[in-house]
Amino acid sequence: MQKLQKEETIALRNKHIGKSCQLFFRKDPLKIVRAKGQYMYDEKDDAFLDCINNVAHVGHCHPKVVQAACEQMSVLNTNNRFLHDNIVLCAKKIASTMPDKLKICFFVNSGSEANDLALRLAQIHTGNRDIIALEHAYHGHLTSLIDISHYKFNLPGGVGQKDHVHVASLPDVYRGKYRDTEYKKDEMGTLYANEVKEICDKIKSDTGKGICAFIAESLISCGGQVIPPQNYFKEVYSHVKAAGGICIADEVQVGFGRVGKYWWAFQKYDVEPDIVTMGKPMGNGHPVACVVTTQEIADSFMKTGVEYFNTYGGNPVSCAVANAVINVIEQENLREHALVVGEYLLDSCHILAKKHKCIGDVRGMGLFVGIDIVQDRETRVPDKELAQYAHHRLREEHILISVDGPHNNIIKIKPPMVFTKENVDEVISTLDRAFKEYRHNNEMYSVNSSKQPKATEVSVKDHRPRKALSETQIKSI
């Protein structure tokens, strides 16, 4: 394959790739040419610790996943209208991790396709149209999903809220409508769930019909790494089912053992969804996803007489990859690993919070953690500028994190499942330095000038690029 200089790659991208397809670090984007485990390498062979790539679930380029893809590709790859073992074995594996009633699988190519199909199943089964989603939620890039994703349609240039879409408050106990400063956790769960009941009641009053579905991520990612109160989903599901709707658990971000204790994050809440969607981690970077539902809902879909066909969904290569991913999770005890390292990460973040008042809240489960950066702990005013500074400062130290949430002040950590305690120590110590630097520079500016520093104005010191790992180190990953 032709190799380009970084400047040539940028020039061709600017010429041929849509400007709305944005990059990380837009002013100085990274050019990544290879990856292994939890590390990514640029064109200079410098290594970057990947703290955000929940797509490379079992580690970048895991040899067993790569082998499964190559071996199957060398033999056969075709659509799923031909009988093949890989798809049925994959369905069996996935169903074995689910509640008994969730046993029918539809294979697709992405989390977006999975959520789109879930909505279609719900509409056909219930005969209703109205969808309830959460504030600041994101469920995919298809038109049907942009319509229900407050994270997208509510932007200044967004399409706006459609009549059939209803938005319930994000169940964020730290900076949401109902906060832990005023209520107990169960009280907050009930208050947030009652909003869903009110929406259900209003739909029935206005239309005389029930609702189609309630859809939510089991742990809310784009909304700010939010962990809903323990009783929230159980009460919401009760209200939705009473209104004739079905409940969709979006596990595209947090499924396949990321939370450690469970295969699926919805299991934390002791609920049984009617539909579960999954994607990203299922293929470790390969495009494969799935919708799992009940026999009853699948039968409703079949009775329409409209055949469901997806050219690439469930093809032999994709299912070979998915099977390999599940096998690696089991064989390498990655759920247990996520639990142990995740607890260490949370504990380390809490220790860091004791040193820095800019950390308002730490929340998460397994290898899914958010750090809420604030100007003031009492008012909880978000500090977007400091979060962005930390984001860029860690990149300069060759550590990749991301920042998200309604106020762009949540540092998100959701790395490959092979992340280690040593990796945690490196991230926490580097964040510690970044926060100290930022505070020092702010103090210097407050003494010498009325002007407040921008993240890009703070000089970078002690920049030590991480070079490529040796072959021995790579084999140990």
Side-chain angles (χ1 to χ4, degrees):
M1 187 192 320
Q2 181 183 5
K3 291 186 178 180
L4 305 173
Q5 296 297 313
K6 183 176 179 179
E7 293 73 17
E8 294 176 301
T9 305
I10 292 172
L12 280 175
R13 185 180 178 93
N14 289 337
K15 183 176 181 180
H16 296 297
I17 305 299
K19 294 294 188 292
S20 58
C21 300
Q22 295 179 352
L23 294 164
F24 292 129
F25 310 105
R26 298 173 203 171
K27 291 185 178 179
D28 183 20
L30 286 173
K31 182 175 181 179
I32 298 298
V33 298
R34 68 183 183 94
K36 184 74 173 178
Q38 63 271 51
Y39 293 97
M40 304 177 77
Y41 299 85
D42 67 9
E43 77 283 3
K44 299 175 184 177
D45 216 31
D46 283 340
F48 292 80
L49 178 60
D50 185 356
C51 304
I52 57 176
N53 218 319
N54 59 329
V55 179
H57 191 59
V58 299
H60 290 278
C61 302
H62 193 288
K64 291 183 178 178
V65 177
V66 172
Q67 181 182 6
C70 291
E71 288 181 354
Q72 184 57 56
M73 179 67 81
S74 70
V75 176
L76 172 71
N77 195 29
T78 186
N79 67 61
N80 65 19
R81 283 185 170 179
F82 296 99
L83 196 61
H84 197 274
D85 290 346
N86 288 357
I87 188 171
V88 296
L89 291 174
C90 190
K92 181 181 178 182
K93 284 178 181 288
I94 291 171
S96 71
T97 68
M98 293 279 172
D100 289 343
K101 71 173 187 177
L102 292 167
K103 59 183 181 179
I104 306 300
C105 297
F106 294 85
F107 287 88
V108 293
N109 304 293
S110 69
S112 291
E113 280 194 13
N115 282 332
D116 177 77
L117 178 58
L119 295 182
R120 185 176 166 193
L121 289 168
Q123 290 165 351
I124 288 170
H125 183 68
T126 64
N128 298 324
R129 186 166 178 264
D130 290 275
I131 303 289
I132 302 175
L134 293 180
E135 180 185 27
H136 308 305
Y138 175 66
H139 295 288
H141 63 81
L142 276 68
T143 300
S144 63
L145 304 173
I146 295 297
D147 284 349
I148 67 168
S149 296
H150 182 258
Y151 180 78
K152 291 290 186 181
F153 75 66
N154 198 50
L155 291 171
V159 298
Q161 187 171 342
K162 301 294 179 65
D163 290 342
H164 70 286
V165 177
H166 308 269
V167 178
S169 294
L170 178 69
D172 181 351
V173 302
Y174 180 71
R175 65 168 65 257
K177 186 175 181 180
Y178 306 107
R179 299 188 176 188
D180 53 12
T181 52
E182 301 177 60
Y183 303 97
K184 296 178 180 178
K185 284 189 176 180
D186 282 356
E187 291 175 332
M188 289 182 287
T190 298
L191 287 167
Y192 280 117
N194 282 345
E195 283 199 11
V196 175
K197 183 180 186 302
E198 290 169 6
I199 292 171
C200 292
D201 291 343
K202 187 173 190 308
I203 291 169
K204 185 175 181 180
S205 173
D206 291 348
T207 68
K209 296 181 179 180
I211 70 164
C212 173
F214 167 83
I215 182 170
E217 293 178 284
S218 303
L219 307 177
I220 295 92
S221 181
C222 290
Q225 304 293 87
V226 172
I227 315 297
Q230 183 62 32
N231 61 323
Y232 174 73
F233 282 118
K234 183 162 279 193
E235 294 189 24
V236 165
Y237 279 25
S238 176
H239 298 323
V240 169
K241 291 177 186 293
I246 65 173
C247 301
I248 303 170
D250 181 339
E251 294 273 339
V252 172
Q253 295 270 8
V254 295
F256 288 94
R258 174 160 294 278
V259 297
K261 189 174 181 180
Y262 309 102
W263 269 101
W264 311 102
F266 72 79
Q267 292 170 320
K268 162 181 164 55
Y269 302 100
D270 191 28
V271 294
E272 291 193 9
D274 301 293
I275 299 176
V276 178
T277 60
M278 60 196 71
K280 294 183 190 300
M282 185 174 176
N284 211 52
H286 182 88
V288 58
C290 187
V291 178
V292 187
T293 191
T294 65
Q295 186 69 60
E296 184 183 10
I297 292 173
D299 287 346
S300 295
F301 194 40
M302 182 185 67
K303 288 174 183 176
T304 63
V306 178
E307 178 190 20
Y308 178 74
F309 175 60
N310 187 314
T311 301
Y312 299 109
N315 70 74
V317 173
S318 293
C319 288
V321 168
N323 285 333
V325 168
I326 296 171
N327 288 339
V328 169
I329 293 170
E330 293 175 335
Q331 293 165 5
E332 298 185 7
N333 299 315
L334 289 182
R335 281 176 52 206
E336 180 182 352
H337 182 80
L339 182 63
V340 172
V341 177
E343 288 178 352
Y344 183 73
L345 173 58
L346 274 173
D347 289 344
S348 299
C349 289
H350 283 296
I351 292 170
L352 187 65
K354 291 179 180 179
K355 296 177 65 177
H356 298 282
K357 294 181 180 180
C358 62
I359 298 178
D361 189 39
V362 174
R363 49 188 178 260
M365 186 176 183
L367 289 174
F368 181 88
V369 172
I371 305 173
D372 198 310
I373 305 300
V374 298
Q375 295 178 20
D376 180 271
R377 281 184 176 174
E378 293 300 316
T379 62
R380 302 186 179 183
V381 174
D383 196 333
K384 174 182 176 180
E385 185 176 292
L386 175 51
Q388 292 294 335
Y389 173 73
H391 179 223
H392 287 274
R393 186 65 182 88
L394 265 67
R395 178 261 170 90
E396 289 164 339
E397 291 289 347
H398 288 208
I399 299 173
L400 305 180
I401 60 171
S402 62
V403 175
D404 210 336
H407 306 285
N408 288 309
N409 72 308
I410 310 298
I411 293 175
K412 299 171 68 171
I413 304 175
K414 46 185 182 65
M417 295 273 276
V418 293
F419 210 66
T420 67
K421 289 183 178 181
E422 290 75 18
N423 297 147
V424 171
D425 290 341
E426 185 174 4
V427 172
I428 296 302
S429 64
T430 310
L431 278 173
D432 183 29
R433 293 202 307 273
F435 292 149
K436 287 176 181 176
E437 289 170 6
Y438 189 84
R439 184 171 66 245
H440 173 74
N441 280 278
N442 267 286
E443 289 169 355
M444 292 293 291
Y445 269 83
S446 65
V447 170
N448 298 312
S449 172
S450 60
K451 178 185 176 185
Q452 291 298 307
K454 301 289 185 182
T456 54
E457 294 173 328
V458 182
S459 63
V460 176
K461 300 177 181 179
D462 196 25
H463 176 204
R464 301 181 302 279
R466 184 189 296 104
K467 293 297 181 182
L469 301 183
S470 68
E471 287 302 314
T472 301
Q473 289 171 311
I474 287 174
K475 289 177 181 178
S476 71
I477 294 175

